[in-house]
Amino acid sequence: MAISLLAGCANDPQTTSNTASSGTSGGWLKPPPQTSSNRTGTPVAYSDYIRQAASNYGVDEKLIKAIIQVESGFNPNVVSTSNAVGLMQLKASTAGRDAYRMKGKDGQPSSRELKDPAVNIDLGTAYINILQSQQLAGITDPQTLRYATIVSYVNGAGAMLRTFSSDKRVAVNRINQMSPDEFYKHIQKKHPAPQAPRYLWKVTTAYQAMSE
């Protein structure tokens, strides 16, 4: 099944073309150091939804939180210029449709549904499961898989894999020969979409700031 582009990051418009910023080295954004300071809180109102979705779909709870933080800042009513809606900035006709299909439903979610935090988190997490279990299947290192998921969430798994090879099997094998840091650096240097390296950096930063 072809997986479509999911996110329209509300806090980082897709028109951004310059991913370099102060503090970078060698033209790529380094992963932030592991730290317990500067943690980002999650509104209590959404914690149960996140925890349940993480359990239902076998997805890292902190990754869901980090994506929500970057995509919408925990504002369920955000709509991007590309019609990505809600907490996880889902596009109804692409990721929304894919998640619906996974759940055995026809059609696509309505904008009203996507503004419902429970529905949005459930469908967004279902989509992450689709990415990890189908498009990114075979990536063995958990940290590398997390990085690959983040990049695929915003720009699609196909675009990410093609930076390694046009053959998916070859691409996955090459990824598995890399350390997580090598994979991260590869994306920062090689991904053709300018927002992808920045998005990877932002979600990784949010992820590392999340409390357990």
Side-chain angles (χ1 to χ4, degrees), residues 109-185:
S110 66
S111 179
R112 182 175 180 178
E113 284 181 290
L114 292 178
K115 288 182 180 179
D116 181 317
V119 174
N120 190 284
I121 290 169
D122 179 76
L123 293 178
T125 306
Y127 184 78
I128 293 173
N129 174 276
I130 291 170
L131 289 173
Q132 293 185 336
S133 65
Q134 297 179 28
Q135 294 297 297
L136 304 175
I139 297 176
T140 55
D141 184 271
Q143 186 175 353
T144 300
L145 178 60
R146 184 173 75 245
Y147 288 159
T149 302
I150 292 166
V151 176
S152 299
Y153 190 92
V154 73
N155 277 109
M160 185 279 294
L161 291 168
R162 284 192 295 274
T163 68
F164 296 93
S165 173
S166 59
D167 184 308
K168 179 182 176 181
R169 186 177 302 177
V170 173
V172 170
N173 286 339
R174 288 177 178 171
I175 289 169
N176 286 335
Q177 292 170 8
M178 292 181 167
S179 69
D181 187 63
E182 288 169 338
F183 175 88
Y184 187 103
K185 186 174 181 179

Side-chain angles (χ1 to χ4, degrees), residues 13-210:
Q14 301 296 313
T15 54
T16 301
S17 61
N18 181 13
T19 61
S21 66
S22 61
T24 64
S25 175
W28 61 286
L29 296 166
K30 292 182 178 180
Q34 297 287 343
T35 177
S36 60
S37 63
N38 235 356
R39 288 181 171 177
T40 303
T42 303
V44 174
Y46 306 137
S47 295
D48 287 345
Y49 300 146
I50 294 169
R51 189 176 303 112
Q52 186 63 52
S55 176
N56 287 346
Y57 298 107
V59 172
D60 183 351
E61 186 174 334
K62 287 203 298 180
L63 178 58
I64 301 169
K65 293 178 184 178
I67 287 174
I68 294 173
Q69 175 63 42
V70 171
E71 288 288 353
S72 66
F74 292 98
N75 180 350
N77 297 311
V78 170
V79 179
S80 77
T81 56
S82 59
N83 292 319
V85 180
L87 290 171
M88 298 187 74
Q89 287 291 279
L90 300 175
K91 294 181 182 179
S93 62
T94 55
R97 186 183 296 273
D98 289 336
Y100 250 34
R101 188 178 299 125
M102 176 189 181
K103 294 170 69 67
K105 297 182 178 182
D106 294 325
Q108 64 188 49
S110 66
S111 179
R112 182 175 180 178
E113 284 181 290
L114 292 178
K115 288 182 180 179
D116 181 317
V119 174
N120 190 284
I121 290 169
D122 179 76
L123 293 178
T125 306
Y127 184 78
I128 293 173
N129 174 276
I130 291 170
L131 289 173
Q132 293 185 336
S133 65
Q134 297 179 28
Q135 294 297 297
L136 304 175
I139 297 176
T140 55
D141 184 271
Q143 186 175 353
T144 300
L145 178 60
R146 184 173 75 245
Y147 288 159
T149 302
I150 292 166
V151 176
S152 299
Y153 190 92
V154 73
N155 277 109
M160 185 279 294
L161 291 168
R162 284 192 295 274
T163 68
F164 296 93
S165 173
S166 59
D167 184 308
K168 179 182 176 181
R169 186 177 302 177
V170 173
V172 170
N173 286 339
R174 288 177 178 171
I175 289 169
N176 286 335
Q177 292 170 8
M178 292 181 167
S179 69
D181 187 63
E182 288 169 338
F183 175 88
Y184 187 103
K185 186 174 181 179
H186 172 93
I187 294 299
Q188 292 290 335
K189 289 185 173 182
K190 301 293 186 180
H191 201 292
Q195 69 269 31
R198 180 68 180 175
Y199 187 83
L200 175 58
W201 179 81
K202 290 178 74 173
V203 176
T204 299
T205 300
Y207 182 93
Q208 293 181 356
M210 293 292 170

